[in-house]
Amino acid sequence: MAAGLSRRMEAQNKLLLPVGGKPMIRHVVETYLAAVDGQVCVVTGFEADRIKVALAGLPIQFVRNAEYEAGQPFSVRAGLLEAPDAQHHLIGLGDQPQLTADDLRALIAAHLAADVQKISIPFQDSTRGNPIVVPCAMRARLLVNQANPGCGNLTRANPELAQHIPMPQPGFFNDIDTPAAFTAFEQMTSQRAMT
C-alpha cells in the first residue's frame, strides 16, 4: 500500500525518502518482487504521479484508491478488489524498508505450514506486524464491512479467523512514520554497513 497522506513526516512524502540510493517505495516494492511469484499490485492515492515515477519500469500493477484520505482500510479494499485471483494475498505497507525478501519468504512459509484457511499475522510479544497473508477464501470477508473494510476490524471481532505467526525479524514491526523514525533507520543502516 502506497496511498497514505504521510502526515507525520511533516513536509515530506516518506515513500520518496532515499533508501539505498532509491526511493523507499521502490526499495520496498523490489523486495516484494524478489520474494513472491505472483503479481505485485501497488495501491496509490496521495501524490500518485510521484509514486508511479519512483516505480517506473517495474513489472507491477497500479491500483488507484480514490478514497485514500479515508485511511488504510480503504487502500486494502481497493487493492483486494483489483488484485488478480490467487490462493493467497500478501498485504503489505510501502514504508517498511527494513524487511528483506528472506523475511517475506519466511512469513509465507510459516503461513503455508500453519492453517492456510486463516489470516496469518506476524506477531512478537503482544505486537501485530505487517505484512499479513490472506487466503483467497477470506478475501470477500475483508470487503463486507463497507465502513471499515480490511483485516484489523475483522480479526479483532473474529479472532478465530486469524493466527499469530511468531516472527523474530524486526522489519515486520518497524515502519517509517516520522522524521525521527527515518533518522533511526538511517543510523541503523549506516552502522550495519560499517560492520
Side-chain angles (χ1 to χ4, degrees), residues 22-114:
K22 61 187 73 172
M24 184 189 301
I25 187 60
R26 189 175 187 96
H27 171 85
V28 172
V29 169
E30 287 176 349
T31 300
Y32 276 79
L33 287 168
V36 302
D37 295 328
Q39 176 71 54
V40 172
C41 300
V42 177
V43 181
T44 65
F46 178 63
E47 297 190 344
D49 291 341
R50 295 181 71 197
I51 298 297
K52 287 184 176 181
V53 168
L55 297 172
L58 296 180
I60 57 178
Q61 173 186 343
F62 287 104
V63 176
R64 170 78 172 160
N65 174 18
E67 298 180 84
Y68 67 91
E69 292 187 58
Q72 190 179 96
F74 294 88
S75 288
V76 172
R77 181 175 71 185
L80 286 174
L81 286 171
E82 296 294 327
D85 289 334
Q87 286 187 308
H88 309 278
H89 298 282
L90 188 64
I91 302 176
L93 309 177
D95 65 350
Q96 289 186 297
Q98 198 175 342
L99 278 174
T100 68
D102 285 342
D103 293 343
L104 297 177
R105 290 188 200 104
L107 174 62
I108 294 166
H111 170 75
L112 295 175

Side-chain angles (χ1 to χ4, degrees), residues 110-123 133 155 159-165:
H111 170 75
L112 295 175
D115 186 342
V116 295
Q117 300 305 312
K118 292 186 176 184
I119 297 169
S120 289
I121 303 170
F123 211 71
V133 185
T155 58
E160 73 281 1
L161 301 180
Q163 57 195 347
H164 291 153
I165 305 292

